Amino acid sequence: MAEQAVTTYVPLDVPLPPIPEGQVFSDLQWKTLLSLADTVIPSIRSTSLAKSLSTKVVPESTFKDAVSTLASHIHDPDATKIAEQYLEENASTNPQFVEGLRRLLADYVHEEGKSGMNLILNALNSKAGSLILTGSTTPIQDQPFEVRERILRAWETSRIKPLRAIYRAFTAIFKKTWTSASPTLRSVVGCPRVPIHGKPADGFEYEFLQFPPGDEPETIDTDVVIVGSGCGGSVAAKNLAEAGYRVIVVEKSYHYPTKYFPMDFTEGFVSMFESGGATSSDDGSVAVLAGSTWGGGGTINWSASLQTQGYVRREWASNGLPFFESYEYQQSLDRVCDRMGVSSDYTEHNYGNRVLLDGARKLGYAAQPVPQNTGGTRHYCGYCTMGCHSCGKKGPRETFLADAAKGGATFIEGFRADKVLFKMTKGGRVASGVEGTWTSRDSYLGTAGLDRTSRKVIINAAKVIVSCGTLHSPLLLLRSGLKNPQIGRNLYLHPVVLSCAVFDEEIRPWEGAALTTVVNEFEDQDSQGHGVKIENVVMLPAFYLPTFPWRDGLDYKLWAAKLPRMSGFITLTKERDAGRVYPDPADGRVRIDYTVSAYDRKHIVEALIATAKIAYISGAREFHTTSREMPPFIRPTEASDPNAPEGVTNAALQAWIAELRRKNPVDPERTQYASAHQMGTCRMGTSPRTSVVGPDCQVWGTQGLYVMDASVFPSASGVNPMVTNMAIADWASRNVARTLGKANSSKSVLARL
């Protein structure tokens, strides 16, 4: 049974950095933008309560039915009042929504995207432009609500591609901002601010190097500098520090003690995720979640700890990398798993994971529990993607970085690595350190801009290990003057389509570990290792709800309110076809050129069908996907018994499946994909013509420069990549230790290596 609820714990607030000065848009453009936001997230009132033309007015009976439906699932004496407030809430009158929208657009949208939005907003405010885009010379913000809603829906299927793109961008931004900032959504769905299971605990106390103000660069000497504190960098830091070498780990983000965990949605996205959780592919089809915090992706992942599968190891070995089939690699896999206490022995499945495991068994699909990095103990928490308050998840913060600190490693947070330094010798280009800019944190342990100090820092080192992650490691290599055309290519994202089963009963899906089950039945659909795994997903409102289609404001609010009865699934795809990352030409930020190929989409369709069958055989009332083209499946009333002899041969379900196959509704332009895993942009191989690093993780054409993170994967791993990433870093860093020569004997534990 679950532990006693913790009701008194309240995490500390995290101050957010100031929004950059200067307006992204003019006042008139903001007025237009917020009118569109109010169309997506409208104030909904009955005919007797309507207050303005900007309100979505529905018949009295429709409003009463909506209030009654919502109130029946709200566990509060004021349920009816809360339901009415939820329906009447709109976007523009919520200060948190407006601030979140301003921050997102100012900080996280690239210049090309801002220019496109500027162009559309300006056109909407001119008679000629408005006529072309809306069919009327009246500015859209002055149109009645029903006209605005009709215009927005017309953009979705417009023949003008930029309008389809702006529809996708605006609705995605508004949904994401609303689910993070809504003052009523949590009350309606009943999702508490903190998990009711698990007790707060103090994590390891880290110390970070500080620098005084100064105009001249600060210079430091060390044996090894590691750029990035994530899964690869943390393991390398532990091994090299324990081997007696002087190690400095630099991290562009900041460390937050566990008393700030789990963070709330807005502060968590800003403080712990790349680009505030708003990173996406250039075409907007894939939302990309990547960690940007102390411990990297290992701090915000979901505890899943799967080792590299045999068929993937054989694939990589067949490409000239025999190490992956060696016992030595298996030892590295086991070593990192042992340190994190990886096991499935103590796993307690929540409702959604039991649905997946039991449904797969009923249908004869191969499925298994997913080992967790929880130190060999029970860890029933679905909030850890916002930081683990109990320290039960044994990611880099609680294990490898702490070990590195005990071994004498030095840490610098707030350090943006500008470039790797080289010296030219007769033997070629030799890495000699890293140059970057350090920015202090302020007195509130945030980055609120108070009394901050910036300083240029040069770190001289015998070895440089780049562990910036798949998105940023290639960009650092490019900024450092390396020209290999393979840098940034071979990007794999494990693209997923999310789906949702809605049940009659309340299941509180945010409770319990998010991902403890995997269905492997469809992982190899082409006999070449490409296919799909079906897994569960984090069910916190701001993570899950924004990916699903918007059809109108009332529909979206009523659907979002079903979250307590939802079970979410993902189709994790080991794709064949790759993309690339590259620096934005305007400001150098990471850009992602990636679209899920038709080849890989075929596999996703089959996995979606299997997921729908699992949901149906488990008694789900509804089944939704993130495709805007495919309507949800609604279970017929006469098919209410999931144990009926007909099983998944039910005529209505089979008709829906046939329609799914006919429409092939996972076209990237009309389906929201997501990615929580990024791999391959500094690919490992046997030649610089096809890869960025050699079999020892050393960058081609250099000496002493290594990459140790998931960017070195030769192809998609097909499983959650943390353990594979760590194992490669474990092996490679031990080899680096052997090349460094004699360490300080008083610190050395080289014999352990």
Side-chain angles (χ1 to χ4, degrees), residues 151-383:
I151 290 169
L152 195 59
R153 283 202 293 258
W155 288 355
E156 179 187 4
T157 56
S158 171
R159 289 178 294 177
I160 304 173
K161 187 172 183 179
L163 276 184
R164 299 198 303 272
I166 209 71
Y167 167 87
R168 163 179 271 174
F170 281 159
T171 54
I173 287 170
F174 298 151
K175 287 184 295 179
K176 173 179 169 52
T177 307
W178 176 69
T179 53
S180 295
S182 169
T184 61
L185 179 60
R186 275 195 187 273
S187 298
V188 168
V189 301
C191 180
R193 169 65 181 86
V194 297
I196 65 171
H197 306 294
K199 298 178 180 179
D202 293 328
F204 186 84
E205 293 187 10
Y206 289 95
E207 295 182 359
F208 294 90
L209 199 60
Q210 304 295 309
F211 302 99
D215 296 327
E216 295 299 317
E218 184 81 24
T219 301
I220 310 171
D221 294 326
T222 189
D223 296 324
V224 182
V225 58
I226 300 173
V227 186
S229 66
C231 296
S234 63
V235 172
K238 166 190 166 66
N239 285 346
L240 291 161
E242 288 185 343
Y245 299 103
R246 296 174 300 162
V247 174
I248 294 178
V249 179
V250 298
E251 167 60 51
K252 68 182 173 69
S253 301
Y254 295 86
H255 165 66
Y256 293 91
T258 54
K259 60 187 176 182
Y260 293 91
F261 293 162
M263 292 189 188
D264 206 355
F265 301 133
T266 297
E267 61 191 32
F269 281 131
V270 171
S271 304
M272 300 178 69
F273 287 83
E274 183 68 29
S275 296
T279 304
S280 69
S281 57
D282 285 346
D283 65 1
S285 64
V286 186
V288 178
L289 282 177
S292 182
T293 187
W294 183 245
T299 297
I300 54 93
N301 69 9
W302 307 345
S303 295
S305 302
L306 291 159
Q307 294 196 5
T308 325
Q309 290 178 277
Y311 73 93
V312 176
R313 293 173 65 173
R314 290 189 292 274
E315 173 197 334
W316 292 356
S318 69
N319 290 322
L321 302 169
F323 159 69
F324 287 108
E325 279 198 293
S326 70
Y327 177 56
E328 190 177 8
Y329 180 59
Q330 185 60 52
Q331 287 179 305
S332 287
L333 288 167
D334 292 340
R335 191 157 36 233
V336 298
C337 286
D338 288 346
R339 178 62 188 93
M340 295 186 291
V342 171
S343 172
S344 56
D345 293 343
Y346 302 90
T347 299
E348 180 181 347
H349 300 296
N350 65 7
Y351 189 100
N353 281 278
R354 290 199 306 273
V355 162
L356 196 57
L357 195 61
D358 294 344
R361 180 184 57 80
K362 291 176 182 178
L363 294 168
Y365 297 158
Q368 67 183 60
V370 174
Q372 308 284 295
N373 65 332
T374 56
T377 61
R378 178 182 177 277
H379 184 62
Y380 196 73
C381 177
Y383 285 65

Side-chain angles (χ1 to χ4, degrees), residues 19 82 184 206 222 248 287 296 309 320 338 443 454 482 503 515 554 562 596 621 698 714 717 719 732:
I19 299 172
I82 292 171
T184 61
Y206 289 95
T222 189
I248 294 178
Q309 290 178 277
D338 288 346
S443 58
S454 290
L482 300 182
F503 293 87
L515 200 172
L554 178 59
K562 295 177 182 179
V596 183
R621 178 63 55 190
Q698 189 164 213
S717 62
V719 294

Side-chain angles (χ1 to χ4, degrees), residues 28-39:
L28 182 58
Q29 287 174 321
W30 272 111
K31 182 179 179 181
T32 304
L33 185 67
L34 289 174
S35 74
L36 292 170
D38 283 342
T39 308

